[in-house]
């Protein structure tokens, strides 16, 4: 049976050149399969030209408009099949920043970080380009690359990410960032080429896939597969996508029947079910988070699961009554709602987190690290502890994610990018000195599978390629990651065994103490090159976070507090590589790479305050705190 593919992009209404030097950009490009991305881009470009030729032929014979607006929803012809059947593309902030705590990262925020997107860049694909001359974009921060009619939706979306705040209520999340604005007609080709050049984050507040039919809900279709092909070839690139606005919708018989049959579950469509993108649902504004009940689900946000039981959406953000710029004029604004508005808020947060990580480490996170960090630190939401198919892992908490990045650099948390080889197991231990809660997560960018869905309702197919497994043990006790059951999507998550479907796994330990062992293994075979993964560990009262810390514990520092010189001593078997001093924000203050045997660090130039000194060998790190008088 031949399937006619269309683009039905939900205007979810009811919303590089970044701070890096050439060395940092080169690191990203070296880790990117540029040849594969260019190959994919050329394939997608050819498909786009053939599709446009079919549309042009149809328009010449039928004298209709290619693009129309119906009840505020932007619709554009995406394809015409051999029988003349037309498929359409349909388009699916200040309180936004408070809801996801991004405001705490700004200059004057409680974290004192001055993260506002300076020098960072985001790509935005939408129903049309943003109005680059809008006062919120300073006539310079938004560049458009597809010269079609300006889009209100596209302008609102990019404004939610980076509007400067001329109208303070419309200020974007990363309000000093730059943006590249594209229309949606040739998105995958353009995304491939931009990712080959080092783009870190993009936003996609729409859906593309086959003609609306029951099978598309939860489906891993060809567009999802192609998305995973792009992201696997570009391991630093994270597309952020909207979940959709189909819950409670009676816009068509198909939607009405699906809502009644599945009780609002199994609604996310096609490409937004890709494994490696970050899918975002919409909730109401949360001005003060007290407990999970503080996060109120919108009436429209689409729920998972995917057909293979993966957790979608992964997180939620504000998507109700979002005020932002529109394209009517250079000074126009409007209030929209939808997951279209939630997704760009999270894209903006991701820019800020990459900026913070780069400020402290002079390099950027892999997409799996960034995605894992966002889910690891999300605030609990929903009726049950753990993830669900409604809120995902919960409400994005930018401040918690930034604090964890800082904690990594002060030695009180772990954010490691590792490699698991075939037929091997990764282990490490850590101590919890006093009873407290601990989270351990892994996340990886998975290859696209050979199979995809092209018309089967709720198949039992599996789309995970490299199946990593996380567990934490203490003596004979085993702690497994959270898992959900697609057959009972309304049930609470369990922790009874391995997770066999998701590329993010998290083990939560409640009120524990003692020594614990982390084990990462895999099922089946991994490729010869292995599988890269990201490991995150956080919690209070953690120690011995480094594999060789027993050896390094012999290092001592004195006097503490100190006025001018910080002395250190260590045993002969320890070979130091360098010594780094950080301030309390995690910012690198000075590095000592030579004359390490002098056993002294000159700290006379530091201001009075608390600092951290990190001693590094080739395979271990030890961090100690000191006070400068």
């Amino acid at each position: 049976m031949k399937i006619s593919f269309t683009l039905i992009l939900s205007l979810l209404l009811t919303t590089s050149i970044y701070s890096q030097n050439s060395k940092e950009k080169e690191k990203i490009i070296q880790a990117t399969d540029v040849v594969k991305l260019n190959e994919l881009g050329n394939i997608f470009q050819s498909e786009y030209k053939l599709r446009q030729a079919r549309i042009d032929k149809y328009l010449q014979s039928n004298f209709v408009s290619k693009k129309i607006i119906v009840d505020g929803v932007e619709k554009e012809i995406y394809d015409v099949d051999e029988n003349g059947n037309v498929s359409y593309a349909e388009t699916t902030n200040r309180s936004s920043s408070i809801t996801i705590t991004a405001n705490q990262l700004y200059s004057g925020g409680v974290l004192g970080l001055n993260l506002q997107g300076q020098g960072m860049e985001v790509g935005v694909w939408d129903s049309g380009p943003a109005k680059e001359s809008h006062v919120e974009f300073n006539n310079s921060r938004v560049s458009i690359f597809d010269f079609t009619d300006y889009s209100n939706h596209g302008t609102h979306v990019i404004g939610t990410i980076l509007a400067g705040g001329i109208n303070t209520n419309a200020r974007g999340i990363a309000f000093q960032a730059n943006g590249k604005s594209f229309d949606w007609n040739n998105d995958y080709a353009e995304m491939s080429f931009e990712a080959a050049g080092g783009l870190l984050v993009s936003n996609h507040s729409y859906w593309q896939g086959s003609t609306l039919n029951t099978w598309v809900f939860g489906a891993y279709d060809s567009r999802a597969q192609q998305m995973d092909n792009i992201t696997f070839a570009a391991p630093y690139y994270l597309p952020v996508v909207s979940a959709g606005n189909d819950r409670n919708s009676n816009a068509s018989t198909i939607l009405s029947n699906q809502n009644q049959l599945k009780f609002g579950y199994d609604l996310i469509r096609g490409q937004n079910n890709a494994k490696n993108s970050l899918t975002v649902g919409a909730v109401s504004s949360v001005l003060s988070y007290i407990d999970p009940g503080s996060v109120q689900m919108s009436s429209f946000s689409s729920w998972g699961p995917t057909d293979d039981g993966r957790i979608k959406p992964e997180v939620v953000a504000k998507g109700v009554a979002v005020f932002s710029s529109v394209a009517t004029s250079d000074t126009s604004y409007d209030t929209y709602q939808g997951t279209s508005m939630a997704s760009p808020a999270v894209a903006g947060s991701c820019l800020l987190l990459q900026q913070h990580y780069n400020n402290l480490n002079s390099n950027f996170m892999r997409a799996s690290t960034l995605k894992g960090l966002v889910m690891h630190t999300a605030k609990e939401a929903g009726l049950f502890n753990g993830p669900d198919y409604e809120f995902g892992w919960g409400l994005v908490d930018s401040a918690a994610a930034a604090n964890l990045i800082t904690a990594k650099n002060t030695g009180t948390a772990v954010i490691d990018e590792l490699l698991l080889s075939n037929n091997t197991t990764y282990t490490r231990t850590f101590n919890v000195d006093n009873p407290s809660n601990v989270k351990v997560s892994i996340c990886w960018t998975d290859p696209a599978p050979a199979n995809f869905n092209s018309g089967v309702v709720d198949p039992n197919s599996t789309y995970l390629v490299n199946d990593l497994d996380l567990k934490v043990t203490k003596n004979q006790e085993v702690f497994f990651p959270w898992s959900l059951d697609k057959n009972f999507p309304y049930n609470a998550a369990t922790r009874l065994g391995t997770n066999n479907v998701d590329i993010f796994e998290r083990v939560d330990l409640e009120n524990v103490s003692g020594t614990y062992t982390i084990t990462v293994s895999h099922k089946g075979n991994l490729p010869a090159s292995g599988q890269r993964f990201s490991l995150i560990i956080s919690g209070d009262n953690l120690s011995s976070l480094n594999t060789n810390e027993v050896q390094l514990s012999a290092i001592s520092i004195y006097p503490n507090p100190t006025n001018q010189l910080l002395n250190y001593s260590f045993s002969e078997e320890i070979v130091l590589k360098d010594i780094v001093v950080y301030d309390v924000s995690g910012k690198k203050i000075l590095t000592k790479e030579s004359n390490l045997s002098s056993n002294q660090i000159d700290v006379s130039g530091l201001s009075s305050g608390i600092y951290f000194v990190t001693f590094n060998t080739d395979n271990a790190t030890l961090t100690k705190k000191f006070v400068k008088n």
Side-chain angles (χ1 to χ4, degrees):
M1 179 177 67
K2 183 175 181 180
I3 302 297
S4 174
F5 280 83
T6 71
L7 178 80
I8 306 177
L9 295 118
S10 311
L11 172 77
L12 307 169
L13 279 175
T14 26
T15 181
S16 67
I17 302 173
Y18 34 77
S19 179
Q20 60 174 33
N21 58 38
S22 57
K23 184 178 180 181
E24 293 165 3
K25 187 172 183 179
E26 185 61 30
K27 289 179 185 177
I28 294 174
I29 294 176
Q30 285 178 355
T32 298
D33 191 340
V34 175
V35 173
K36 179 65 174 178
L37 288 168
N38 285 331
E39 175 187 322
L40 289 170
N42 288 329
I43 291 171
F44 299 144
Q45 183 80 17
S46 297
E47 292 175 353
Y48 163 71
K49 289 180 178 178
L50 291 172
R51 196 168 63 243
Q52 290 304 114
R54 291 192 294 270
I55 294 172
D56 290 343
K57 182 178 179 181
Y58 175 82
L59 293 176
Q60 290 172 6
S61 303
N62 290 272
F63 306 103
V64 296
S65 296
K66 182 182 179 183
K67 193 168 186 177
I68 59 175
I69 298 177
V70 179
D71 296 329
V73 175
E74 297 175 36
K75 299 181 66 175
E76 183 172 354
I77 296 175
Y78 175 66
D79 204 354
V80 182
D81 69 15
E82 57 190 10
N83 298 317
N85 296 316
V86 179
S87 301
Y88 283 93
E90 298 182 7
T91 60
T92 47
N93 279 255
R94 179 164 151 180
S95 57
S96 290
S97 68
I98 296 172
T99 297
I100 61 173
T101 66
N103 61 311
Q104 296 184 31
L105 281 60
Y106 302 155
S107 176
V110 298
L111 301 186
L113 295 177
N114 190 29
L115 300 172
Q116 295 165 175
Q118 302 94 318
M120 301 298 291
E121 183 174 76
V122 66
V124 176
W125 280 262
D126 213 281
S127 59
K131 190 172 180 62
E132 81 278 19
S133 58
H134 199 286
V135 294
E136 293 292 348
F137 309 143
N138 309 106
N139 287 314
S140 61
R141 290 193 297 113
V142 172
S143 301
I144 61 174
F145 292 85
D146 294 315
F147 299 97
T148 56
D149 292 340
Y150 292 128
S151 164
N152 281 327
H153 186 261
T155 304
H156 197 283
V157 164
I158 205 166
T160 303
I161 299 174
L162 55 77
I166 300 300
N167 183 320
T168 56
N169 291 321
R171 188 174 68 179
I173 302 298
F175 56 89
Q176 291 183 344
N178 299 315
K180 287 185 171 182
S181 178
F182 303 83
D183 72 23
W184 57 27
N185 288 311
N186 195 22
D187 59 346
Y188 273 14
E190 293 164 342
M191 289 163 62
S192 299
F193 297 137
E194 290 296 321
L199 184 67
L200 290 173
V201 177
S202 63
N203 186 81
H204 308 265
S205 290
Y206 54 84
W207 172 69
Q208 298 180 2
S210 299
T211 303
L212 185 59
N213 205 313
T214 302
W215 74 267
V216 306
F217 298 112
Y220 187 89
D221 68 1
S222 64
R223 290 279 299 177
Q225 182 200 50
Q226 291 165 345
M227 178 81 84
D228 284 337
N229 273 321
I230 294 171
T231 50
F232 188 73
Y236 284 84
Y237 172 48
L238 179 63
V240 183
V241 304
S242 52
N245 304 324
D246 290 332
R247 205 172 92 262
N248 296 319
S249 174
N250 295 312
S252 70
T253 301
I254 292 172
L255 275 172
S256 178
N257 290 342
Q258 183 75 357
N259 270 289
Q260 291 180 32
L261 180 65
K262 298 295 185 73
F263 307 104
Y265 294 96
D266 190 18
L267 285 171
I268 299 176
R269 309 183 199 173
Q271 72 172 45
N272 297 343
N273 290 312
K275 294 179 291 184
N276 300 325
S277 57
L278 181 63
T279 304
V280 183
V283 296
S284 297
S285 179
V286 182
L287 299 182
S288 177
Y289 180 90
I290 299 173
D291 56 34
S294 303
V295 187
Q296 296 297 307
M297 176 57 61
S298 67
S299 62
F300 49 80
S301 188
S302 293
W303 295 346
T306 63
D307 283 347
D308 58 340
R310 284 177 292 115
I311 297 171
K312 290 283 182 177
E314 282 106 342
V315 290
V316 295
K318 179 182 176 180
V320 176
V322 177
F323 184 75
S324 186
S325 49
V326 292
T328 309
S329 73
D330 288 344
T331 57
S332 296
Y333 303 86
D334 206 346
T335 299
Y336 291 172
Q337 64 181 20
T339 56
S340 276
M341 283 64 248
S343 175
V346 176
S349 173
C350 288
L351 284 182
L352 299 181
L353 295 176
Q354 283 284 26
Q355 182 185 4
H356 184 40
Y357 192 91
N358 183 55
N359 286 347
L360 300 185
N361 300 284
S362 299
N363 60 275
F364 293 101
M365 292 178 278
R366 285 177 170 264
S368 61
T369 309
L370 176 58
K371 181 177 178 178
L373 181 64
V374 171
M375 291 184 281
H376 182 98
T377 56
K379 290 176 177 174
E380 185 65 58
L383 293 176
F384 306 109
N385 288 334
D388 55 48
Y389 291 128
E390 304 156 17
F391 298 86
W393 289 92
L395 180 67
V396 171
D397 190 345
S398 307
N403 280 333
L404 205 155
I405 292 172
T406 301
K408 160 193 159 55
N409 281 54
T410 57
T412 54
V414 170
I415 303 176
D416 281 353
E417 296 178 341
L418 305 165
L419 176 68
L420 187 69
S421 298
N422 191 39
N423 296 322
T424 64
T425 298
Y426 171 87
T427 62
R428 78 187 299 164
T429 61
F430 64 90
N431 291 329
V432 186
D433 297 330
N434 296 299
S436 58
N437 298 332
V438 178
K439 295 179 183 178
V440 180
S441 299
I442 60 171
C443 188
W444 65 98
T445 299
D446 201 47
N451 59 313
F452 61 86
N453 192 357
S454 59
V456 180
V457 177
D458 297 336
N460 288 319
S461 302
T462 298
Y463 302 106
L464 190 64
V465 176
N466 294 333
D467 186 0
L468 306 191
D469 288 315
L470 168 69
K471 67 179 180 180
V472 179
T473 56
K474 180 184 181 184
N475 300 324
Q476 301 303 311
E477 190 174 9
V478 181
F479 302 89
F480 288 108
W482 295 98
S483 294
L484 289 166
D485 186 346
K486 68 174 185 177
N487 296 312
F488 301 94
Y490 36 77
N491 282 357
T494 60
R495 294 180 280 182
L496 303 177
T498 60
N499 182 315
N500 302 320
V501 295
D502 291 297
I503 65 167
F504 173 79
E505 299 184 4
R506 194 178 86 190
V507 173
D508 289 5
L509 307 173
E510 292 89 13
N511 196 34
V512 298
S513 61
T515 301
Y516 293 80
T517 300
I518 298 169
T519 303
V520 180
S521 57
H522 69 88
K523 299 184 184 75
N525 290 314
L526 298 179
S529 58
Q531 173 64 57
R532 294 190 178 275
F533 70 98
S534 304
L535 173 68
I536 303 174
I537 312 171
S538 67
D540 297 328
N541 305 309
L542 295 179
S543 64
S544 300
L545 291 175
N546 304 287
T547 53
N548 287 342
E549 187 147 324
V550 174
Q551 176 194 23
L552 287 183
S553 63
I555 298 177
S556 60
I557 59 174
Y558 60 92
N560 191 8
T562 183
N563 292 318
Q564 293 185 331
L565 296 175
L566 181 68
N567 301 307
Y568 57 91
S569 62
F570 56 96
S571 56
E572 292 182 357
E573 64 269 20
I574 297 176
V575 179
L576 292 177
K577 182 175 65 175
D578 59 40
I579 302 171
V580 183
V581 175
Y582 300 92
D583 66 14
V584 291
S585 74
K587 182 178 181 181
K588 186 183 297 185
I589 301 299
L590 61 87
T591 301
K592 184 174 183 179
E593 297 178 312
S594 60
N595 198 25
L596 297 175
S597 60
S598 67
N599 298 88
Q600 289 184 333
I601 307 171
D602 184 357
V603 295
S604 60
L606 302 183
S607 302
S608 298
I610 298 173
Y611 295 87
F612 297 89
V613 57
T614 297
F615 299 89
N616 297 305
T617 69
D618 284 332
N619 57 7
T621 299
L622 176 67
T623 300
K624 290 180 174 288
K625 181 167 64 175
F626 72 93
V627 176
K628 169 63 169 59
N629 286 328

